[in-house]
Amino acid sequence: MSHEEKLTLLAALLESAGDRAMEAGRHPEPPPVAPPARPPAGNPLAGVRFELLGPLVIRHDGVDIAPSAPKLRLVLSTLLFNANQPVGASVLVRELWSAGAPRTAHATLQTYMFKVRKLFRGVLGGSVEDVARDVLLTCSGGYTLRVDPKQLDIVEFDDLVTAGTTAMRAGDYERAGTHLRRALALWRGDVVHQGQWGPQLRAQAARLEERRFYAYTTRIDADLCLGRHRETTSELASLVVEHPLHESAHAMLMLALHRSGRTPAALEAYLRFRRRMLGELGIEPSERIQALHLALLSPEPLLADLSLTSDMLLDRLVTRARTGGRTSSSPVTG
């Protein structure tokens, strides 16, 4: 190609490029459009109820959607007991496998998390990515499940027990009993078979069972203050069989029997309790229940005072015993 031909070709190419540039200037391509901003997620799982006071249940539109696979249930239970708080992957691995975690544990855990997100995707109707962004978030070294506390039965239970305790302290025994009955009605059985859970969940289950027992005995105490002695006797009789060394349960049984006109049976209940304490622990019952025993042996007007809880009554009786029968000028509130 001659020098002149090269110049002609170069000019043609430059002209073509210029034409394209002019066309681009007249009709510029629009810049990439960012997706519209997603409104705040709020509570994506609104309408879902999470129940842990018994076997795990996740209710959506009246249907239990909780998975049947034991490992997935453990993952969900751990996340729900720690709702809205980050849970480390190492914690989840320990709950799932205790000390026998396989080398692939963390990879398997990621698979479980994907399956949990798919479960929630069915509720949201979106994508797994939506769930990962709004519901089950990956945080540094672990995961966070975002749940409205009002959707958790364990939170409702704690709130009701707290309200019942506050009412008891205020002397509003009717209101206390109502709150505590509602709290106890949330239970559908044992939290879970203990052998299936890791150390953290076993601790959580133990705490809940202890609080359940407290709510139950406090509700009975409220009924005693309302004069329902005969109604509570059978409950207390069963309770002392299940908890043969529980002092407060025996004290309430003795009081219920006495107020029902069965003082000899109340004294016999004390003697059985004392024999068991000496036989199994080698110690005498406490000063409080001994004071109740002495009060049953002689006319004691305090035993008929329905304004006193069982703890308050026992403290008053101890004070009277220590002062030789003189009532303290200031009430003991227990």
Side-chain angles (χ1 to χ4, degrees):
M1 182 182 292
S2 65
H3 181 66
E4 289 77 15
E5 289 174 333
K6 291 180 179 179
L7 290 176
T8 301
L9 179 59
L10 180 59
L13 291 171
L14 290 173
E15 182 178 1
S16 175
D19 289 342
R20 287 197 300 273
M22 290 178 66
E23 286 293 320
R26 285 193 296 270
H27 305 285
E29 292 184 6
V33 178
R38 185 182 178 90
N43 181 12
L45 295 177
V48 179
R49 171 79 169 175
F50 300 96
E51 299 178 3
L52 291 155
L53 299 176
L56 175 66
V57 169
I58 302 176
R59 299 189 191 278
H60 176 56
D61 290 338
V63 178
D64 181 11
I65 62 170
S68 58
K71 293 295 188 185
L72 288 183
R73 294 174 72 86
L74 282 173
V75 168
L76 278 162
S77 295
T78 305
L79 292 171
L80 287 168
F81 270 114
N82 298 276
N84 304 307
Q85 302 176 34
V87 181
S90 59
V91 172
L92 288 162
V93 167
R94 187 164 59 252
E95 292 299 309
L96 287 165
W97 292 284
S98 297
R103 287 188 298 176
T104 59
H106 284 272
T108 305
L109 176 61
Q110 291 178 354
T111 301
Y112 290 155
M113 288 301 173
F114 178 76
K115 291 181 178 179
V116 171
R117 283 170 172 151
K118 284 183 65 177
L119 172 73
F120 289 134
R121 182 190 65 182
V123 176
L124 293 172
S127 65
V128 172
E129 289 73 20
D130 293 335
V131 176
R133 181 182 63 247
D134 298 331
V135 179
L136 181 50
L137 290 65
T138 301
C139 57
S140 178
Y143 304 88
T144 300
L145 178 60
R146 293 176 56 191
V147 174
D148 187 337
K150 295 179 181 178
Q151 295 172 265
L152 290 163
D153 65 347
I154 54 175
V155 174
E156 183 181 0
F157 171 73
D158 270 331
D159 289 346
L160 285 168
V161 175
T162 298
T165 301
T166 300
M168 283 291 289
R169 290 173 179 166
D172 190 347
Y173 303 127
E174 191 71 56
R175 185 177 181 84
T178 298
H179 286 311
L180 295 169
R181 281 184 176 83
R182 287 178 57 200
L184 293 165
L186 294 172
W187 285 76
R188 296 169 290 105
D190 293 335
V191 175
V192 77
H193 184 269
Q194 296 284 330
Q196 297 177 351
W197 284 25
Q200 186 183 101
L201 291 183
R202 286 200 300 272
Q204 292 278 11
R207 182 194 72 82
L208 281 171
E209 289 290 354
E210 184 64 27
R211 194 148 169 81
R212 180 189 189 182
F213 184 80
Y214 166 80
Y216 182 51
T217 55
T218 305
R219 192 233 85 211
I220 293 176
D221 209 3
D223 282 347
L224 286 174
C225 291
L226 293 168
R228 299 167 184 160
H229 317 305
R230 290 179 174 82
E231 295 91 327
T232 60
T233 300
S234 59
E235 288 183 287
L236 287 165
S238 297
L239 195 61
V240 298
V241 171
E242 295 175 15
H243 304 273
L245 297 176
H246 197 280
E247 181 179 282
S248 295
H250 281 83
M252 286 192 291
L253 175 60
M254 292 163 62
L255 188 60
L257 288 168
H258 169 71
R259 289 177 177 173
S260 300
R262 301 170 61 189
T263 303
L267 293 169
E268 179 60 32
Y270 171 78
L271 293 176
R272 286 196 303 270
F273 178 61
R274 181 174 182 269
R275 284 195 296 267
R276 187 175 287 273
M277 289 285 289
L278 289 170
E280 297 190 18
L281 302 179
I283 60 175
E284 289 280 354
S286 74
E287 183 182 17
R288 301 170 86 235
I289 200 166
Q290 287 188 52
L292 175 58
H293 175 238
L294 290 174
L296 291 172
L297 293 171
S298 60
E300 174 51 72
L302 277 178
L303 295 177
D305 190 345
L306 300 186
S307 70
L308 301 176
T309 67
S310 60
D311 275 342
M312 293 164 64
L313 174 61
L314 293 178
D315 286 341
R316 290 281 190 92
L317 293 174
V318 168
T319 300
R320 284 179 64 84
R322 288 176 179 174
T323 58
R326 297 187 305 275
T327 305
S328 173
S329 59
S330 59
V332 179
T333 57

